[in-house]
């Protein structure tokens, strides 16, 4: 989900950024022995605890991938659930080392908030969900004039909603809550006709409702929502490690390197695979980055490649069953594209 800054993120918060970054995040992480990962308070497919209390989802797995790159062990990560209001301050202050929380990459966050986004782990867009039994015959968002719409406050979702209805000369009644859990409960209780957030989030939220089959996600996408992890500005080494972890997940998928075959692939004669997996003679790619030369091997062993991570959490192997769509590799008509590891 995508949220804007809430007042308190001013000069004082940015002061925290400089001090936290100057300590050297990689050194701090190694001293702690784990990575502190900021995640959502619970969004299926992205970051949510399972029935055993273990965090699951694309965002959680991304932090495991970074832990595997740094420590050779994807379990060396701890998760901090953060609300929309808390998340940016938590990263700026050093409470978390990575914010991996279905967060939209915007210019404001890249500049005024002192963050660096490492890439787009999920290309999304804002959509609408309705209870089809309450609104029979509605199959387009353009039919929602006069509707009561549940939305989370302090978010770009809220701003996009206002823009969409204004541009289409429609009226609506916002039903606004600060916490995601409050929005979910209000919609499920019938306090509003429509729920709006990232379309991927709507699919996840629908599974938690009392009668999921009654609810339909409408076809309109009204915004661009590139979701991805962010780190603090001012620490290039940490930024590069986290960014190239993302690229490594994509390059591994493109080269056919999977969790099941990664050990076998280490014996490949393909020069590109040898470079990626650190088996090229005299390779310094990993050590130049600040990790070991087998960092990509460790990433893939921990979480698989990007495609495996996608399908397991939100795709065909998950209850959400979301198609790859624009999140497919560029070689298959999607937007996921990584620079070469060489």
């Amino acid at each position: 989900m995508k949220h804007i800054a809430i007042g308190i993120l001013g000069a004082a918060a940015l002061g925290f950024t400089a001090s936290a970054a100057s300590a050297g995040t990689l050194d701090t992480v190694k001293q702690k022995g784990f990575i502190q990962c900021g995640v959502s308070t619970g969004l299926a497919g992205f970051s949510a605890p399972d029935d055993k209390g273990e965090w699951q989802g694309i965002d959680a797995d991304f932090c495991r991938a970074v832990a595997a790159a740094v420590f050779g062990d994807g379990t060396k990560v701890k998760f901090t659930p953060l609300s929309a209001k808390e998340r940016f301050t938590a990263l700026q202050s050093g409470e978390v080392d990575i914010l991996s929380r279905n967060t939209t990459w915007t210019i404001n966050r890249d500049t005024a908030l002192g963050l660096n986004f490492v890439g787009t782990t999920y290309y999304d867009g804002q959509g609408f969900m309705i209870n089809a039994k309450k609104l029979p015959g509605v199959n387009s968002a353009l039919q929602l004039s006069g509707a009561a719409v549940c939305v989370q406050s302090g978010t770009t979702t809220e701003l996009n909603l206002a823009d969409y209805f204004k541009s289409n000369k429609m009226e609506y009644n916002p039903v606004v809550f600060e916490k995601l859990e409050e929005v979910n409960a209000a919609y499920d209780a019938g306090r509003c006709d429509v729920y709006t957030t990232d379309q991927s989030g709507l699919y996840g939220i629908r599974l938690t409702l009392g009668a999921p089959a009654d609810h339909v996600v409408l076809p309109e996408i009204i915004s661009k929502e590139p979701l991805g992890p962010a780190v603090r500005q001012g620490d290039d080494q940490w930024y590069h490690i986290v960014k190239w972890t993302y690229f490594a997940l994509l390059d591994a998928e493109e080269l056919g390197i999977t969790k099941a075959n990664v050990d076998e692939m280490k014996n490949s004669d393909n020069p590109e695979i040898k470079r990626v997996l650190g088996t090229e003679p005299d390779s310094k790619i990993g050590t130049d980055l600040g990790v070991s030369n087998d960092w990509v091997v460790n990433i893939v062993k921990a979480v698989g490649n990007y495609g495996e991570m996608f399908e397991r959490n939100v795709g065909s192997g998950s209850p959400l069953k979301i198609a790859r769509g624009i999140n497919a590799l560029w070689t298959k008509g999607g937007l996921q594209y990584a620079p070469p590891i060489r």
Side-chain angles (χ1 to χ4, degrees):
M1 222 177 305
K2 50 264 184 251
H3 308 277
I4 59 174
I6 313 292
I8 58 173
L9 304 174
L14 292 178
F16 280 123
T17 306
S19 62
S22 64
T25 308
L26 179 60
D27 291 339
T28 302
V29 161
K30 286 183 174 180
Q31 288 170 7
K32 290 187 300 185
F34 60 88
I35 291 169
Q36 199 74 43
C37 176
V39 290
S40 74
T41 54
L43 181 62
F46 289 84
S47 53
D50 60 18
D51 54 8
K52 297 179 181 177
E54 295 291 327
W55 285 88
Q56 306 296 340
I58 285 180
D59 290 341
D61 275 352
F62 182 79
C63 284
R64 292 188 177 99
V66 178
V70 172
F71 295 107
D73 184 348
T75 67
K76 291 187 178 294
V77 56
K78 294 184 179 181
F79 298 98
T80 300
L82 299 167
S83 70
K85 187 175 182 179
E86 298 166 335
R87 59 181 173 165
F88 296 123
T89 307
L91 180 59
Q92 290 174 326
S93 68
E95 179 185 347
V96 298
D97 306 306
I98 304 170
L99 182 66
S100 187
R101 190 199 175 282
N102 52 288
T103 297
T104 301
W105 187 350
T106 70
I107 187 172
N108 175 262
R109 293 165 183 175
D110 242 1
T111 55
L113 300 192
L115 309 183
N116 275 332
F117 283 80
V118 303
T120 301
T121 50
Y122 191 96
Y123 288 94
D124 209 346
Q126 186 173 331
F128 298 94
M129 179 167 63
I130 63 168
N131 185 327
K133 286 192 173 182
K134 287 181 60 180
L135 298 176
V138 172
N139 53 31
S140 168
L142 295 173
Q143 298 172 271
L144 296 177
S145 187
V149 184
C150 274
V151 63
Q152 191 173 8
S153 64
T155 66
T156 54
T157 307
E158 191 177 16
L159 302 178
N160 293 336
L161 173 65
D163 288 349
Y164 181 77
F165 274 78
K166 183 177 180 180
S167 64
N168 286 288
K169 298 179 172 57
M170 300 190 302
E171 301 291 331
Y172 74 102
N173 300 308
V175 182
V176 182
F177 299 91
E178 180 183 321
K179 296 181 179 179
L180 179 65
E181 297 84 356
E182 295 172 334
V183 189
N184 296 351
Y187 175 75
D188 204 16
R191 293 180 59 184
C192 45
D193 306 306
V194 184
Y195 194 135
T196 186
T197 187
D198 292 341
Q199 195 173 73
S200 62
L202 293 175
Y203 285 108
I205 291 160
R206 183 170 63 178
L207 296 176
T208 70
L209 302 176
D214 293 348
H215 302 268
V216 174
V217 178
L218 297 176
E220 284 84 1
I221 298 288
I222 69 167
S223 68
K224 294 185 293 184
E225 307 298 336
L227 309 180
V231 296
R232 291 178 294 276
Q233 287 182 9
D235 189 338
D236 285 352
Q237 183 184 37
W238 185 245
Y239 170 64
H240 290 149
I241 289 171
V242 179
K243 176 175 67 174
W244 281 96
T245 294
Y246 162 61
F247 291 149
L249 289 163
L250 295 176
D251 281 326
E253 181 183 6
E254 188 174 338
L255 292 169
I257 302 167
T258 68
K259 195 170 185 178
N261 71 15
V262 63
D263 281 327
E264 179 185 347
M265 285 289 208
K266 287 191 291 185
N267 299 317
S268 172
D269 291 328
N270 182 310
E272 191 171 4
I273 292 175
K274 291 169 73 70
R275 277 194 299 272
V276 168
L277 297 184
T279 60
E280 185 181 49
D282 302 318
S283 173
K284 294 179 61 181
I285 291 174
T287 53
D288 286 345
L289 187 61
V291 295
S292 63
N293 281 328
D294 61 350
W295 61 292
V296 179
V297 173
N298 295 330
I299 289 170
V300 175
K301 283 187 174 182
V303 300
N305 62 40
Y306 176 84
E308 291 177 291
M309 197 168 73
F310 184 100
E311 298 299 349
R312 178 174 63 248
N313 290 299
V314 299
S316 59
S318 79
L320 277 66
K321 308 295 183 188
I322 298 174
R324 282 290 290 270
I326 58 174
N327 285 293
L329 293 178
W330 68 285
T331 53
K332 297 183 179 179
L335 297 177
Q336 293 291 358
Y337 181 104
I341 295 175
R342 66 174 306 143

